[in-house]
Amino acid sequence: MDRSSDALTLAPPWIAACVIVQMLWTKNFFADFNERLKTVPFVAGDEFSVADITTFVTVDFAAGGMKMNIPTAFDALQAWYGKVSDRASSKA
């Protein structure tokens, strides 16, 4: 049995609403960053920066904590995530 769906079902309605809003925000976040990464190799432009680190952590949290992986249709975001994941510093 999936405990996350049980928890959401048993949660007060305002918590369930917050979760739904957060999931919608995350979908929009993925879409926005996918569009951005179609035009530049890294979040803030041509160089890897703290913006990439922050975005990487956010995507990891969405994938792990919220069970929301990057949709396969977001190819630019998928490619960026793979490139950043391959960096030695992301494995520390």
Side-chain angles (χ1 to χ4, degrees), residues 25-43 51-52 54-60 62-63 68-86:
W25 180 88
T26 302
K27 288 179 184 179
N28 289 335
F29 172 84
F30 285 162
D32 290 346
F33 272 95
N34 188 63
E35 290 303 312
R36 170 73 178 153
L37 292 166
K38 287 180 181 179
T39 63
V40 294
F42 296 102
V43 174
D52 293 283
T54 303
T55 304
F56 182 75
V57 170
T58 301
V59 171
D60 263 3
M68 292 183 70
N69 294 320
I70 301 169
T72 55
F74 295 155
D75 54 339
L77 183 56
Q78 288 272 1
W80 168 87
Y81 186 80
K83 183 171 37 178
V84 174
S85 294
D86 288 342

Side-chain angles (χ1 to χ4, degrees), residues 8 11-21:
L8 190 56
W14 65 271
I15 291 178
C18 289
V19 170
I20 291 167
V21 167

Side-chain angles (χ1 to χ4, degrees), residues 3-24:
R3 292 192 180 277
S4 61
S5 62
D6 286 347
L8 190 56
T9 303
L10 298 174
W14 65 271
I15 291 178
C18 289
V19 170
I20 291 167
V21 167
Q22 189 64 33
M23 292 176 81
L24 291 172

